[in-house]
């Protein structure tokens, strides 16, 4: 079947034909692609075409698709039973590996998605502080729970109409518990805290923002937010669902010398399976049920198949950390695309942090916040996206996202990426 036929079939029984709006091509137009299989850095599409994958399941597939070690680990686990709803030894094995890499985290609770991890982090912060308000940054995405879909990035940018909240169905009193400030603006956080003395439970952000495109923190920004939160008696939550184990072994916040009160992780640590985690000091984590009064649960949480994939992934990353190579490949993309765009006089520039990157349709980097990101030309990005896809490279279908390289990507793949970019860039001015 063609993608058009598959899409029409899916649209009859699935809203918009997709199970997550970010898979639709709302921001770039055209028919969403369907994948038949993946191997390493490549996808085989349902129409038989092979494309280089820079989505990597939104960052989850750091070892590449169908990695033999992961396939073997999950096959072995599945053969022993896929879920029991009863504790299994592997859960603590995985938790130990996570805790060992994060100095300020004593315990973690395994959950099934980033959304759940953040939802739990917020409830925990409220339960521990006895306060209700949350401060979040415009353009940061923390999953699709009610209070966090206010000025959210990622698919919520293009799915909604840009007003607050970014989704229908969120009661106004819940949206009102979320205060929104621009990213990269610590003074705005301090001002919001000062405006609501004794009422803010937590300040939450993505340390390196990835849902308004790749937007790194300004020097000193995160430290200043942490200090402001501390001074106001609010908890500081770092949502590292994208960042965790993406730039190095462990968390960005830990490497940056921060000490957030609660952290969330997902994507890479799940090894391509529905697994995420929330972590904190013991006193905070023990506020969760069954030890504490903050309720949280999950039928499939910590299931042995996902745990096997996660352990295999973390062990492989620890045994042979790919981060320097991933960053070098992302840097080649940054330099190559930017040089070519400049040569052709095209306003498109790659902004990168370490191993993640976004081609923004602008010649005015840096992009520092959502306002900057929204000023980039969506139509030009859409043309670049389709130009790349036509030439066998799959980028994220929106510039409010980040692109990824995996350990399965090679320098030859980066050559191919840059070669593919030449014609689209030449015709984009
Ligand atoms: N937090 C961040 C920073 C994310 O990027 C995402 C997903 N892109 C989430 C939370 C939600 O994770 P999930 O899609 O697994 O629910």
């Amino acid at each position: 079947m063609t993608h058009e036929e598959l899409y029409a079939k899916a649209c009859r029984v699935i809203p918009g034909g997709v199970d997550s709006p970010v898979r639709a091509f709302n921001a770039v137009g055209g028919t969403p692609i369907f994948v038949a299989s993946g191997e390493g850095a490549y996808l085989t599409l349902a129409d038989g075409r092979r494309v280089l994958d820079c989505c990597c399941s939104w960052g989850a597939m750091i070892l590449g698709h169908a990695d033999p070690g992961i396939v073997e680990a999950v096959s072995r686990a599945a053969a022993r039973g896929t879920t029991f709803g009863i504790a299994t030894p592997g859960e603590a094995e995985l938790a130990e590996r996570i805790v060992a890499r994060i100095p300020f985290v004593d315990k973690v609770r395994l959950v099934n998605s980033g959304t759940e991890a953040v939802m739990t982090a917020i409830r925990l912060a409220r339960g521990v502080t006895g306060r209700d308000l949350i401060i979040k940054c415009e353009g940061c995405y923390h999953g699709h729970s009610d209070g966090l879909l206010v000025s959210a990035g990622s698919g919520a940018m293009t799915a909604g109409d840009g007003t607050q909240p970014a989704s229908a169905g969120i009661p106004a009193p819940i949206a009102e518990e979320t205060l929104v400030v621009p990213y990269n603006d610590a003074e705005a956080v301090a001002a919001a805290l000062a405006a609501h003395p004794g009422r803010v439970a937590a300040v939450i952000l993505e340390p390196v923002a990835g849902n308004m495109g790749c937007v790194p923190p300004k020097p000193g920004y995160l430290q200043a937010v942490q200090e402001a939160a501390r001074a106001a008696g609010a908890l500081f939550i770092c949502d590292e669902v994208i960042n965790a184990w993406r730039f190095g072994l462990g968390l960005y916040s830990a490497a940056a010398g921060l000490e957030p009160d609660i952290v969330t992780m997902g994507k890479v640590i799940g090894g391509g399976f529905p697994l995420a985690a929330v972590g904190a000091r013991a006193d905070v984590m023990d506020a969760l049920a069954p030890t504490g009064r903050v309720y949280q649960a999950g039928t499939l949480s910590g299931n042995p198949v996902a745990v096997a994939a996660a352990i295999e992934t973390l062990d492989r990353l620890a045994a042979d950390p790919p981060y320097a190579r991933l960053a070098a490949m992302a840097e080649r993309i940054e330099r190559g695309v930017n040089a070519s765009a400049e040569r052709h006089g095209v306003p498109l520039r790659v902004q990168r942090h370490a191993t993640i990157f976004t081609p923004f349709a602008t010649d005015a980097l840096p992009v520092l916040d959502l306002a900057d990101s929204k000023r980039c030309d969506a139509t030009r990005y859409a043309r670049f996206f389709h130009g790349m896809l036509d030439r066998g490279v799959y980028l994220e279908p929106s510039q409010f996202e980040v692109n990824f390289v995996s350990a399965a990507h090679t320098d030859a793949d980066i050559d191919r990426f840059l070669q593919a970019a030449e014609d689209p860039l030449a015709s984009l001015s």
Side-chain angles (χ1 to χ4, degrees):
M1 274 199 263
T2 64
H3 289 153
E4 286 71 21
E5 287 163 343
L6 288 166
Y7 184 48
K9 176 179 157 86
C11 281
R12 282 195 285 277
V13 283
I14 296 173
V18 291
D19 280 320
S20 185
V22 289
R23 293 174 203 170
F25 280 9
N26 280 4
V28 291
T31 308
I33 56 166
F34 286 73
V35 175
S37 63
E39 189 186 25
Y42 285 84
L43 303 174
T44 302
L45 304 184
D47 63 5
R49 280 201 313 137
R50 236 172 136 247
V51 299
L52 179 66
D53 181 20
C54 294
C55 169
C56 301
S57 194
W58 304 91
M61 305 310 292
I62 199 166
L63 298 178
H65 299 291
D67 173 85
I70 300 279
V71 171
E72 202 200 316
V74 301
S75 304
R76 261 191 279 120
R80 292 194 297 264
T82 57
T83 175
F84 306 106
I86 300 170
T88 49
E91 293 162 61
E93 295 283 327
L94 174 58
E96 280 173 359
R97 281 165 170 78
I98 296 172
V99 166
R101 296 273 176 199
I102 315 173
F104 47 81
V105 163
D106 300 319
K107 298 186 179 186
V108 291
R109 168 68 49 89
L110 303 179
V111 297
N112 303 290
S113 69
T115 296
E116 272 183 62
V118 180
M119 202 177 71
T120 302
I122 297 289
R123 187 171 303 140
L124 199 46
R126 286 177 166 149
V128 165
T129 61
R131 301 171 174 191
D132 288 341
L133 299 181
I134 298 295
I135 297 177
K136 80 174 282 289
C137 294
E138 237 180 355
C140 283
Y141 178 74
H142 302 293
H144 61 278
S145 66
D146 281 354
L148 293 168
L149 272 185
V150 179
S151 286
S154 185
M157 285 300 309
T158 44
D161 60 3
T163 57
Q164 300 180 16
S167 167
I170 295 174
I174 291 182
E176 282 159 19
E177 308 270 278
T178 305
L179 311 173
V180 177
V181 295
Y183 181 77
N184 261 331
D185 184 347
E187 279 171 25
V189 174
L193 287 163
H196 303 276
R199 294 190 56 209
V200 176
V203 181
I204 182 167
L205 47 71
E206 298 173 63
V208 179
N211 287 288
M212 51 183 137
C214 174
V215 182
K218 286 200 275 198
Y221 165 63
L222 297 170
Q223 280 79 2
V225 171
Q226 176 173 287
E227 274 166 36
R230 289 271 145 81
L235 302 191
F236 179 43
I237 304 177
C238 283
D239 179 357
E240 301 218 21
V241 165
I242 292 179
N243 294 180
W245 271 263
R246 171 49 62 182
F247 309 128
L249 301 171
L251 300 189
Y252 176 87
S253 54
L258 298 162
E259 284 203 352
D261 300 287
I262 307 179
V263 289
T264 53
M265 307 151 240
K267 302 207 192 253
V268 169
I269 69 151
F273 281 76
L275 185 144
V278 54
R281 296 186 307 270
D283 60 312
V284 174
M285 289 306 287
D286 285 338
L288 280 181
T291 33
R293 289 194 49 243
V294 177
Y295 198 72
Q296 188 279 337
T299 300
L300 297 177
S301 292
N303 75 79
V305 181
V307 165
I311 288 175
E312 172 72 10
T313 300
L314 296 193
D315 285 354
R316 291 267 299 284
L317 292 173
D320 183 16
Y323 301 105
R325 204 169 68 76
L326 300 187
M329 289 191 288
E331 186 183 7
R332 282 193 62 207
I333 290 173
E334 175 192 25
R335 285 178 186 228
V337 168
N338 291 357
S340 169
E342 218 165 295
R343 204 165 53 244
H344 294 299
V346 168
L348 185 138
R349 297 289 182 275
V350 168
Q351 180 156 291
R352 176 181 70 95
H353 175 84
T355 58
I356 61 177
F357 66 95
T358 297
F360 283 113
T362 180
D363 51 13
L365 294 186
V367 170
L368 291 174
D369 57 19
L370 183 64
D372 287 350
S373 174
K374 279 165 104 172
R375 271 195 289 274
C376 298
D377 182 341
T379 310
R380 189 172 272 113
Y381 179 78
R383 284 168 57 205
F384 182 62
F385 166 86
H386 280 293
M388 292 297 279
L389 184 53
D390 289 347
R391 288 161 187 79
V393 178
Y394 185 67
L395 294 171
E396 303 291 20
S398 161
Q399 48 187 341
F400 298 120
E401 307 288 357
V402 286
N403 292 270
F404 301 90
V405 281
S406 75
H409 285 66
T410 63
D411 267 331
D413 295 324
I414 307 307
D415 291 342
R416 187 187 170 119
F417 182 111
L418 294 174
Q419 183 64 41
E422 267 306 307
D423 282 352
L425 286 173
S427 63
L428 266 188
S429 51

